[in-house]
Amino acid sequence: MTLDGCRVLYLDGYTVPDPKVGVPSSDAIGYGITASAVIRNGLSALGLDVISHPRDTDPAGLGGPEERLSWILSTYRGVLRALVEDPPDVIFSFHIFSTFPVELRRMLLDLGLSIPIVGYTHGSHWDPTDTFRFETYPGMEVLDLANLHVLDRVLLVSEYMRTTLRDTIGAFNPTVAEQVDAHAAVVGLPLDVDRIDACRTGRQFPRTTVVFNHAPVSSKNPDLFARVMARVLPCYEVAVLVTRDFALWQPGGEAIAELAERFPGQVVLGRDLPLDEYFEALWAADLQVSTATHESLGVSTLEAMYTENCCILPRIGSYPELCNDHPDVLYELGEGPLEERLRYFLEHPDHRRSVASELKRMTAGYHPRVVVQKIFEEVVDVALGGL
């Protein structure tokens, strides 16, 4: 096999281009669309023969768990057909908790094929702070570990994620931890800079605007954000944009709804903005706030950094990596420290803009040409037998 002939079977995750129709998870409406497309196109541009969308059918419907599961089953059937009819040189799974590598490995073993599998993990049961995994998929820790273990190359989004997996899996089984870590590579995720740049209109919001662009899950701690903003909003000519939809039954749903009711002229509920409207809004905003207790990378924060927002981030997870330990950006998670940082940046607009410019420069490491090159090298390495 030559590099020009390297065929990569690329498995996307489940996505929903119109977030209003169902399954508004971050991968489905955000980075699963943007970052994945950048990777597919980038690998093709670097000379790999990328084969995508191997499903046997595209299930119809309005989104939701049933359609998502039907889509996953269709992907497995499409992979089986591809393996039988025209086997690739590498299988690439963008999200290993969508299309399980253990099932892909079983297909290969049953068919007598030796094809390396490369896959991304975008969060894990083996990160104790990732409460979404434990709440949504309880009792699946060992399956999650098996998915990591059968990969020939584990792509990770941050050094934080690598250290966390090494430590937590190591406490469970040191040998397995060493095997997973030996096959791991930190490559990050690429920002879709072309699409983000195309959404820059020059428009600014009439008020200084704080963006909260996290998902309605407990590990993003939306209640903390709402409590702090309830104290800040009466004191400043400032607005809040909540980009995601918070149903009343979801974490933070009642608190966000109450905040919007108390400050109707200042709180805007985006309710899962379509991507282009979301990027346009980021360019028009001034600050982004995170209150997360879990963050393996922080794609929404990187998008805010790239669009020249001043970000206020808790000193947890991957955030110190993203902002190079910036002392003005990081705060110790809690109401008091967050309120202090918010009030400071609202009262010092020149410094706020200066920090925003610094953060924009820090996103260079997540430019497609940087990240996709790293991914390309890992794919070629396993394709040529560097397991």
Side-chain angles (χ1 to χ4, degrees):
M1 182 198 71
T2 63
L3 178 58
D4 290 339
C6 183
R7 302 175 66 250
V8 179
L9 183 61
Y10 191 101
L11 308 181
D12 272 308
Y14 180 67
T15 58
V16 182
D18 181 359
K20 307 299 183 186
V21 302
V23 195
S25 60
S26 297
D27 57 317
I29 69 172
Y31 68 85
I33 297 173
T34 57
S36 188
V38 167
I39 294 169
R40 284 198 320 270
N41 296 336
L43 292 179
S44 294
L46 288 171
L48 300 181
D49 182 6
V50 179
I51 309 147
S52 59
H53 307 300
R55 296 176 298 283
D56 63 341
T57 60
D58 277 318
L62 295 178
E66 182 178 353
E67 184 186 31
R68 180 175 179 274
L69 291 169
S70 296
W71 183 94
I72 291 172
L73 290 173
S74 180
T75 297
Y76 285 131
R77 289 191 293 267
V79 170
L80 175 59
R81 187 180 68 248
L83 294 179
V84 171
E85 296 178 357
D86 193 9
D89 299 298
V90 178
I91 299 173
F92 188 109
S93 175
F94 179 73
H95 199 323
I96 66 170
F97 215 75
S98 177
T99 309
F100 290 166
V102 290
E103 292 296 342
L104 304 177
R105 181 65 67 194
R106 179 165 64 171
M107 289 186 198
L108 295 174
L109 292 171
D110 282 347
L111 294 171
L113 297 173
S114 178
I115 298 173
I117 307 174
V118 178
Y120 258 109
T121 179
H122 298 286
S124 174
H125 285 85
W126 296 90
D127 180 348
T129 69
D130 194 350
T131 55
F132 174 79
R133 294 293 185 281
F134 298 102
E135 294 168 355
T136 310
Y137 299 105
M140 297 185 73
E141 293 89 341
V142 177
L143 172 61
D144 196 354
L145 178 55
N147 281 329
L148 292 167
H149 190 242
V150 301
L151 288 170
D152 296 292
R153 194 60 42 88
V154 182
L155 301 183
L156 302 177
V157 293
S158 62
E159 291 293 343
Y160 160 81
M161 196 66 186
R162 181 170 205 159
T163 300
T164 299
L165 292 179
R166 184 190 297 125
D167 292 346
T168 55
I169 298 173
F172 175 73
N173 187 310
T175 301
V176 173
E178 290 175 6
Q179 292 169 342
V180 171
D181 190 64
H183 291 162
V186 176
V187 296
L189 267 182
L191 291 170
D192 191 348
V193 297
D194 289 341
R195 185 168 187 170
I196 298 174
D197 287 341
C199 295
R200 186 172 192 174
T201 65
R203 178 178 71 94
Q204 289 295 122
F205 289 122
R207 290 188 179 99
T208 300
T209 297
V210 178
V211 171
F212 188 77
N213 54 347
H214 281 311
V217 296
S218 60
S219 62
K220 302 304 179 185
N221 213 358
D223 290 282
L224 172 60
F225 175 77
R227 288 195 302 272
V228 172
M229 291 312 306
R231 295 202 292 269
V232 170
L233 286 173
C235 305
Y236 299 91
E237 183 65 14
V238 62
V240 169
L241 171 62
V242 180
T243 64
R244 299 294 299 272
D245 187 26
F246 280 76
L248 289 175
W249 56 269
Q250 291 176 310
E254 292 185 0
I256 294 295
E258 181 181 346
L259 190 71
E261 185 177 352
R262 285 184 59 190
F263 304 97
Q266 292 175 271
V267 178
V268 178
L269 301 180
R271 302 193 185 281
D272 290 337
L273 291 169
L275 272 169
D276 289 347
E277 292 180 28
Y278 164 70
F279 290 139
E280 183 180 340
L282 285 184
W283 281 116
D286 303 279
L287 292 121
Q288 183 249 11
V289 169
S290 174
T291 48
T293 57
H294 156 74
E295 198 59 84
S296 56
L297 178 65
V299 175
S300 61
T301 293
L302 279 169
E303 290 166 344
M305 290 167 61
Y306 185 82
T307 51
E308 299 176 13
N309 282 270
C310 177
C311 298
I312 303 175
L313 310 173
R315 190 180 291 278
I316 60 98
S318 63
Y319 282 140
E321 284 181 59
L322 296 194
C323 69
N324 293 346
D325 258 324
H326 197 300
D328 296 333
V329 168
L330 296 171
Y331 70 96
E332 300 303 323
L333 187 62
E335 294 183 31
L338 172 57
E339 183 175 352
E340 183 278 327
R341 284 289 81 198
L342 259 173
R343 289 179 179 271
Y344 174 82
F345 280 123
L346 290 173
E347 294 169 5
H348 297 83
D350 289 341
H351 191 202
R352 182 180 73 228
R353 286 187 282 268
S354 174
V355 170
S357 296
E358 293 177 47
L359 293 176
K360 169 69 178 280
R361 291 192 290 273
M362 293 177 192
T363 64
Y366 300 90
H367 192 283
R369 65 173 171 267
V370 175
V371 178
V372 175
Q373 179 65 35
K374 293 178 183 178
I375 297 170
F376 171 79
E377 292 171 1
E378 300 300 331
V379 171
V380 169
D381 187 46
V382 297
L384 297 177
L387 307 183

